């Protein structure tokens, strides 16, 4: 493995490559140069990294953590910082390992290894020969596709916890919202207010194309994201953020919002999340996006079978530490998860 100086240099290069200064610089470069830099960045991101941490306290067995794969640009930078792991004194080694079948994990030098996959694809590809707390294939398949999630909710009798999904054109009530089934961060979602607007959309995307769903529009001024770590569908740890939308903003997309505030979860929110996750026997981290209707009902938009980006922000490092600690404490060998 690489020495600590080279490891820190690679980490610094990754951080710089995802920062605003690097983005501004790339904007002024010719296309071929940007393409070359993009390939170089991907190569750097694929380099396995290793953090060596202090020995554990007396009486505690050392733990190796493997961060498997990648997701957003800033995630590996946050997870490769020593400060992120200082609250987990038993963790003595952290590996950042690419999701690459050609790379085999080195044998552990410690008594226990916990592997933490990041994206949904990483979860599906993750070795099941190490301790983990991650959802199985069925749970990932249900949650990563909005049409599959809507069908699951209806089949399990959980429709009271989500916006109405219109199965036919005749069922649609306005305003409605169109969501692409595989889109993240609400990208591509749009609100339609009339038959004319829906007809215009359907001229480019046929109703039965399978690429989108049409749902009841719940345009509330505040939306919530609850980040959880679960075992068998039970919430072991959670934190919640309220997102206030800008005036006139109806859809919260990515980091486009007026304010974000850490709050206690709304009444019944955790119970609703567990109702949705228990039939899947869901294990591992997830992030749940929802709102509270005018009638006080929890309405869940989607559940992401992975960490949520909010707890990867520098200000939320303590929450990320809590989530990681919960995963490490509850990870077990589960060969049936494949």
């Amino acid at each position: 493995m690489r020495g600590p100086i080279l490891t820190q240099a690679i980490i610094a290069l990754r951080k710089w490559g995802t920062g605003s200064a690097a983005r501004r610089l790339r904007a002024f470069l010719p296309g071929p140069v940007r393409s070359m830099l993009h390939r170089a960045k991907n190569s750097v991101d694929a380099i396995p990294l290793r953090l060596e941490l202090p020995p554990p306290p007396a009486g505690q067995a050392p733990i190796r953590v493997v961060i498997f794969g990648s997701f957003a640009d800033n995630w590996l930078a946050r997870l490769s910082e020593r400060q992120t792991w200082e609250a987990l004194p038993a963790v003595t080694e952290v590996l950042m390992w690419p999701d690459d079948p050609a790379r085999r994990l080195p044998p552990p030098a410690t008594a226990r290894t916990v592997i933490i996959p990041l994206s949904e694809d990483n979860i599906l590809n993750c070795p099941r020969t190490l301790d983990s707390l991650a959802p199985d294939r069925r749970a990932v398949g249900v949650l990563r596709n909005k049409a599959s999630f809507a069908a699951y909710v209806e089949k399990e009798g959980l429709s009271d916890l989500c916006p109405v999904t219109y199965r036919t054109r005749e069922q649609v009530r306005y305003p409605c919202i169109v969501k692409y089934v595989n889109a993240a961060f609400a990208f591509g979602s749009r609100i339609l207010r009339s038959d004319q607007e829906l007809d215009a959309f359907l001229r480019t995307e046929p109703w039965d194309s399978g690429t989108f769903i049409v749902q009841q529009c719940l345009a509330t001024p505040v939306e919530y994201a609850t980040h959880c770590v679960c075992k068998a569908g039970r919430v072991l740890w959670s934190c919640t953020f309220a997102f206030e939308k800008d005036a006139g903003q109806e859809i919260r997309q990515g980091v486009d919002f007026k304010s974000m505030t850490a709050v206690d979860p709304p009444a019944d929110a955790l119970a609703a999340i567990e109702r949705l996750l228990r039939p899947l026997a869901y294990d591992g981290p997830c992030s749940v996006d929802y709102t509270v209707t005018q009638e006080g009902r929890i309405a869940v938009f989607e559940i992401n079978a992975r960490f949520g980006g909010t707890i990867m922000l520098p200000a939320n490092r303590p929450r990320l530490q809590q989530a990681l600690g919960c995963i490490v404490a509850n990870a077990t060998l589960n060969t049936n998860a494949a």
Side-chain angles (χ1 to χ4, degrees):
M1 298 297 295
R2 290 163 180 80
I5 295 177
L6 182 55
T7 294
Q8 293 305 313
I10 293 172
I11 291 170
L13 183 58
R14 284 182 176 177
K15 290 180 183 178
W16 182 84
T18 59
S20 58
R23 287 195 294 270
R24 287 195 297 268
L25 175 61
R26 289 195 295 269
F28 290 100
L29 297 174
V33 177
R34 289 200 303 271
S35 297
M36 181 184 67
L37 289 176
H38 181 70
R39 290 193 297 270
K41 177 182 178 300
N42 287 342
S43 297
V44 170
D45 287 347
I47 297 173
L49 296 180
R50 178 173 180 256
L51 285 181
E52 290 187 75
L53 301 165
Q60 289 194 27
I63 298 172
R64 176 178 74 164
V65 172
V66 176
I67 303 298
F68 186 77
S70 63
F71 188 69
D73 284 343
N74 66 315
W75 285 26
L76 285 182
R78 187 71 56 245
L79 291 165
S80 63
E81 293 172 338
R82 299 178 69 87
Q83 303 97 299
T84 298
W85 300 98
E86 62 187 7
L88 284 74
V91 175
T92 59
E93 180 185 10
V94 179
L95 294 182
M96 312 289 157
W97 205 258
D99 184 350
D100 181 353
R103 295 182 184 269
R104 297 176 62 86
L105 279 167
T110 59
R112 181 178 181 228
T113 294
V114 175
I115 190 165
I116 303 177
L118 294 185
S119 74
E120 288 93 338
D121 286 336
N122 301 150
I123 292 168
L124 298 179
N125 297 333
C126 182
R128 298 292 176 171
T129 55
L130 301 169
D131 285 358
S132 66
L133 191 65
D136 61 19
R137 287 183 175 274
R138 176 180 176 240
V140 173
V142 165
L143 299 179
R144 77 184 306 181
N145 181 289
K146 293 176 177 60
S148 297
F149 180 55
Y152 160 80
V153 164
E154 183 175 348
K155 179 183 176 183
E156 296 293 336
L158 300 168
S159 298
D160 61 305
L161 299 177
C162 299
V164 175
T165 299
Y166 301 118
R167 299 297 178 186
T168 66
R169 165 70 189 270
E170 292 70 30
Q171 292 178 345
V172 174
R173 299 293 180 268
Y174 299 103
C176 64
I177 184 167
V178 174
K179 302 176 180 178
Y180 287 97
V181 296
N182 292 315
F185 309 113
F187 292 144
S189 297
R190 66 190 72 180
I191 293 176
L192 306 178
R193 305 182 185 281
S194 66
D195 284 335
Q196 292 76 15
E197 291 185 3
L198 180 57
D199 288 338
F201 174 79
L202 293 178
R203 282 195 286 272
T204 60
E205 299 275 359
W207 182 273
D208 58 355
S209 66
T211 60
F212 66 91
I213 59 172
V214 182
Q215 286 187 329
Q216 172 190 20
C217 179
L218 297 174
T220 55
V222 177
E223 294 182 7
Y224 299 88
T226 292
H227 304 264
C228 308
V229 175
C230 304
K231 188 155 188 150
R234 301 287 184 179
V235 176
L236 304 177
W237 169 89
S238 71
C239 68
T240 299
F241 298 91
F243 297 89
E244 183 184 5
K245 295 186 229 176
D246 286 313
Q249 182 185 17
E250 294 178 298
I251 302 173
R252 180 173 67 90
Q253 294 181 314
V255 295
D256 183 18
F257 48 82
K258 181 178 179 180
S259 66
M260 176 184 73
T261 308
V263 298
D264 292 329
D268 301 325
L270 294 183
I273 291 169
E274 288 193 345
R275 281 184 60 198
L276 288 164
L277 293 178
R278 280 202 305 271
L280 294 171
Y282 188 90
D283 288 341
C286 65
S287 59
V288 186
D289 295 327
Y290 59 98
T291 192
V292 179
T293 68
Q294 292 181 348
E295 299 77 26
R297 179 175 65 89
I298 301 294
V300 174
F301 301 131
E302 64 180 359
I303 301 176
N304 296 299
R306 52 170 173 76
F307 289 110
T310 304
I311 62 169
M312 295 292 175
L313 297 175
N316 290 326
R317 190 196 306 275
R319 296 178 176 88
L320 175 60
Q321 291 171 323
Q322 293 167 12
L324 292 169
C326 187
I327 292 171
V328 169
N330 292 279
T332 58
L333 184 63
N334 184 3
T335 56
N336 295 323

